[in-house]
Amino acid sequence: MKKMSAPQMSDAELVAGIKRMKQEKDIVVLAHFYVQDDIQDVADYIGDSYQLAKLATTTPQQTVCFCGVNFMGESAKILSPDKKIIMPDINAGCPMADMISSDEIERVKAQYDDLAVVAYVNTTAETKAHSDVCVTSSNCLQIVRSLPQKNIYFIPDVNLGSYIKSQLPEKNVILHDGFCCVHHKIRVAAVQEMIAAHPDYKILVHPEAQAEVVALGNVVGSTKVLLDEVKKNDAPGYIVCTEVGILHQMKKAAPGKEFLVPTRTQTCRSMKRNTLQKLYDAMHTLTPEIKMDEELMQQALRPLEKMMELAESKVSTL
């Protein structure tokens, strides 16, 4: 059955309605750093994918509206199976998450006795279910370093995997060829050109970017790490090598600073599928809802729990 949309309203009316329904229906709204600015402004919490999924487990509200892409809603449901997880656009997918299949994972497993399958948290529940441990861009070095296995199959992001490989030469990191369409398109020449024009600006790079771009970064880390750097650093400006959605929070954190992006293609179309109208509609109808097979949820939970266990002792972050 086709979902019915509410009558067309102005942005101000949508925002007022969203705020009202939060109270009336006891809904918490979580928004990823990469969604549109107006959604970030109306959300209760803003963060990266794993940070928000974990946060969903602690909020008192039993209904969570997750503004992001579908693997994020899955992670929230896996960690909070008793809560209702809804999304403004359940068809907002992550191309990188779809670049790996369970068949590929099992094929590599068959080739090595001493192997750990390490899945970036930016993956589907199906991929997580075939993995040994999940990692985020903040804890990947700490966790991979702590694993007893020498052979590491890192999936799906070749760029983050290459960064881990360069930092942990003692491990045999086997790379998959997946990539983030946004970060992969950031060109080293464009970054170098900006550095030449603004030599006193700090270069902030997400490790999903290509190795040549990562090598130029003054700070390399997760979206949250990059935002935290802006809050504490006194540089006059920043060259930001990640998705442009983070600029909204960076500008709030450091008003008066200049933020530059090297390429115009640093926009995730999937994240931008989340709109105020869709958020309003989801809260109004409490749909679409993330529903998952119980056995798959249990299998996908294991590597997430393993990640939390290994990350308990916070020794290092990207």
Side-chain angles (χ1 to χ4, degrees), residues 170-242:
E170 69 274 19
K171 298 287 188 181
N172 176 34
V173 180
I174 303 149
L175 301 174
H176 184 62
D177 57 2
F179 57 89
C180 167
C181 302
V182 175
H183 292 96
H184 199 68
K185 289 178 182 175
I186 300 172
R187 296 295 174 226
V188 67
V191 181
Q192 289 171 328
E193 189 177 323
M194 281 195 166
I195 293 172
H198 305 277
D200 53 346
Y201 282 22
K202 290 284 186 184
I203 302 99
L204 309 178
V205 183
H206 195 286
E208 286 179 23
Q210 296 190 61
E212 296 86 350
V213 175
V214 170
L216 295 174
N218 298 120
V219 178
V220 178
S222 68
T223 316
K224 183 179 182 304
V225 167
L226 301 184
L227 178 59
D228 288 345
E229 180 66 23
V230 167
K231 292 176 180 176
K232 66 186 181 185
N233 197 283
D234 59 355
Y238 300 87
I239 299 166
V240 183
C241 301
T242 188

Side-chain angles (χ1 to χ4, degrees), residues 42-62:
V42 80
D44 295 297
Y45 300 97
I46 306 153
D48 58 30
S49 59
Y50 181 66
Q51 178 190 8
L52 292 176
K54 194 172 178 184
L55 182 64
T57 67
T58 63
T59 57
Q61 295 89 343
Q62 291 303 298

Side-chain angles (χ1 to χ4, degrees), residues 279-297:
L279 173 56
Y280 181 97
D281 292 348
M283 296 175 72
H284 181 67
T285 63
L286 299 182
T287 60
E289 180 182 357
I290 294 284
K291 294 187 176 180
M292 300 173 65
D293 175 77
E294 289 288 337
E295 185 178 356
L296 175 61
M297 286 174 63

Side-chain angles (χ1 to χ4, degrees), residues 133 144 174:
V133 63
V144 173
I174 303 149

Side-chain angles (χ1 to χ4, degrees), residues 9 27 32 53 59 72 94 122 144 183 190 234 254 269-270 286 302:
M9 294 186 286
I27 301 172
H32 192 274
T59 57
M72 299 177 186
C94 173
N122 296 19
V144 173
H183 292 96
D234 59 355
R269 293 180 182 177
S270 294
L286 299 182
R302 286 184 296 99

